[in-house]
Amino acid sequence: MNPQKSAGARRAFDVTFDGRTVEALPGRTIAAVLWAAGVTSWRTTRNEGRPRGVFCGIGVCFDCLVTVNGRPNQRACLLPARPGDDIRTQEGTGHED
């Protein structure tokens, strides 16, 4: 018997971050996947362009907003990564304005 199967382990999968392939483990949030890949900032503030990433880690502060599969303003600290996700740095509001 395969010990990984008996432990319920699932295989890693790929997502992309700004076009770069990043390996993700099942069950991890997008923020955890980016941190594991060494990425700590994936958004810039609207007016001053300051870098942001995870601050609270529980979906309260909105510092971790990111664009996922073309949808801006997704909270990376709450959203589980899924195979093939296209994750992009979000600038400002994430909309054309």
Side-chain angles (χ1 to χ4, degrees), residues 13-31:
F13 55 87
D14 289 338
V15 299
T16 59
F17 174 67
D18 289 343
R20 167 182 151 202
T21 300
V22 175
E23 186 175 83
L25 294 176
R28 286 192 172 176
T29 64
I30 288 176

Side-chain angles (χ1 to χ4, degrees), residues 5-8 12-14 16 19-20 25 34 36 39 41 54 60 62 64 67 69 75 79-80 83 88 94:
K5 283 188 178 182
S6 64
F13 55 87
D14 289 338
T16 59
R20 167 182 151 202
L25 294 176
L34 294 177
V39 180
S41 174
V54 171
V60 175
F62 295 87
C64 66
T67 299
N69 301 324
R75 286 181 276 183
L79 189 64
R88 303 270 175 187

Side-chain angles (χ1 to χ4, degrees), residues 50-63:
R50 292 184 178 174
R52 293 290 187 261
V54 171
F55 181 71
C56 73
I58 57 173
V60 175
C61 74
F62 295 87
D63 264 8

Side-chain angles (χ1 to χ4, degrees), residues 66-81:
V66 67
T67 299
V68 180
N69 301 324
R71 295 182 62 203
N73 299 315
Q74 304 299 300
R75 286 181 276 183
C77 70
L78 297 179
L79 189 64

